[in-house]
Amino acid sequence: MIASVITVTTSPTLLVAATANATRTIYIEPVGGDIHIGGSTVTTTTGLVTKKDVTSTIDLPPVNALYAVTGTGTVTIRILQPEGDF
């Protein structure tokens, strides 16, 4: 597994890039603030709310990337994803 930390802003921020063939299980945990997740055009209106300090599991299908935004300021996201060639 690969662990990383990404800072999310009020603009769509890439969390996990798309792969050609693999469905992956992704774990995300926003630290200190809520985020909204979705595709490259995610907004606080259209995105799925992910609550601060709660670990969420997402099954990310092939050819899909995961983005996030926050309503104000910045939020740190902890991410855990599979390692390997996809």
Side-chain angles (χ1 to χ4, degrees), residues 53-80:
D53 303 324
V54 174
T55 302
S56 298
T57 305
I58 298 154
D59 290 326
L60 191 60
V63 196
N64 286 272
L66 183 64
Y67 289 79
V69 294
T70 185
T72 60
T74 61
V75 174
T76 300
I77 309 295
R78 294 181 185 135
I79 301 172
L80 188 62

Side-chain angles (χ1 to χ4, degrees), residues 6-85:
I6 295 175
T7 300
V8 172
T9 68
T10 56
S11 297
T13 305
L14 179 65
L15 299 181
V16 181
T19 61
N21 300 310
T23 296
R24 296 161 291 154
T25 301
I26 310 296
Y27 301 90
I28 61 172
E29 180 184 33
V31 179
D34 296 347
I35 61 167
H36 301 261
I37 59 173
S40 61
T41 59
V42 67
T43 68
T44 55
T45 303
T46 62
L48 180 68
V49 177
T50 304
K51 295 294 189 178
K52 71 176 183 172
D53 303 324
V54 174
T55 302
S56 298
T57 305
I58 298 154
D59 290 326
L60 191 60
V63 196
N64 286 272
L66 183 64
Y67 289 79
V69 294
T70 185
T72 60
T74 61
V75 174
T76 300
I77 309 295
R78 294 181 185 135
I79 301 172
L80 188 62
Q81 61 182 315
E83 187 173 1
D85 295 329

